[in-house]
Amino acid sequence: MSLVSPSPPLSELTARQWQWIGAGLMMTFASMGGQTLFIAQFNSDIRAHFGLSDGQFAGLYTVATIFSALLIAMIGQVTDKLGPRFLAIVCTVGLALMALAMSMVDHWIVLCLVLFGLRFFGQGMLPHIAQTAMARWFNRFRGRALAFSQMGYTAGEALLPFIITISLVSLSWRDIWAIGAGFLIIIMLPLIVFLWRDPPDGKRA
């Protein structure tokens, strides 16, 4: 006899639960601004502007990533103490500010700090908040809630390289980062705030 309970059908998910999953998906999609896949699209332009070799830029990127990971390990527990909506606002705004800074950065030291911010808010905190919220607020559907929320990565990986490649024909790499910052504030932030407005079970942690 199997000790594993049968998975309930997705039809049992309520509208509020789908809303919460949608918020997680939007968070992982928004995180693409700090993911290697996105930043790598501008690798050649950034190196050319700052006169960096492949190894030098890789070194800066490695240092930024390591320190962002260390900071996540130290303060990641805030997701156990603060609600996802508040944290989503802070981290989405933080990522937007880093994207805006990338559009204006003009020194390699500042570039390293901006890369740190992009990795911390994008690659680190936004997915961390989404995954923690899915794990905390779902029981029977936890695995599928996590899987659906991570489809934001898939959407970003499918769409953004193509969009960036087309955009670079008529826009500079700095323009694209500035547009990305605006997209996060004008489109993604209101959408995430709206979707995070009510916990799936109607109770607040």
Side-chain angles (χ1 to χ4, degrees):
M1 182 178 68
S2 174
L3 298 178
V4 180
S5 302
S7 297
L10 289 176
S11 59
E12 292 186 16
L13 281 169
T14 66
R16 186 173 285 176
Q17 288 173 320
W18 278 117
Q19 165 196 313
W20 209 248
I21 292 172
L25 190 153
M26 291 297 104
M27 290 279 283
T28 56
F29 181 77
S31 77
M32 294 304 296
Q35 300 287 353
T36 299
L37 175 76
F38 187 87
I39 298 171
Q41 302 296 312
F42 309 96
N43 177 26
S44 298
D45 294 308
I46 293 173
R47 286 191 297 102
H49 180 81
F50 291 98
L52 299 172
S53 66
D54 286 323
Q56 289 171 330
F57 182 64
L60 291 178
Y61 193 75
T62 299
V63 169
T65 299
I66 289 173
F67 277 96
S68 69
L70 290 174
L71 185 57
I72 288 287
M74 289 188 289
I75 72 168
Q77 61 181 328
V78 298
T79 56
D80 295 323
K81 301 176 180 180
L82 301 174
R85 194 183 197 208
F86 171 76
L87 290 174
I89 294 171
V90 171
C91 293
T92 303
V93 170
L95 182 59
L97 290 175
M98 290 300 104
L100 184 61
M102 179 63 93
S103 74
M104 299 182 290
V105 65
D106 213 27
H107 194 283
W108 70 268
I109 294 178
V110 181
L111 173 64
C112 192
L113 295 174
V114 171
L115 289 173
F116 165 79
L118 290 172
R119 299 294 280 165
F120 174 74
F121 290 114
Q123 187 269 340
M125 283 302 294
L126 288 178
H128 180 56
I129 296 165
Q131 292 163 11
T132 301
M134 296 304 106
R136 172 184 291 171
W137 292 99
F138 288 89
N139 185 11
R140 297 183 304 154
F141 294 97
R142 183 174 295 133
R144 282 174 287 180
L146 282 163
F148 281 126
S149 69
Q150 293 185 42
M151 289 177 67
Y153 297 128
T154 305
E157 290 168 359
L159 297 173
L160 292 179
F162 174 76
I163 292 173
I164 292 170
T165 301
I166 296 299
S167 299
L168 283 172
V169 173
S170 57
L171 299 172
S172 72
W173 65 276
R174 291 185 182 275
D175 291 335
I176 295 175
W177 278 104
I179 291 170
F183 177 77
L184 285 170
I185 294 297
I186 297 171
I187 304 297
M188 297 305 295
L189 182 59
L191 185 58
I192 289 170
V193 169
F194 173 76
L195 291 173
W196 276 139
R197 70 190 186 282
D198 293 313
D201 59 4
K203 300 175 183 176
R204 300 199 175 276

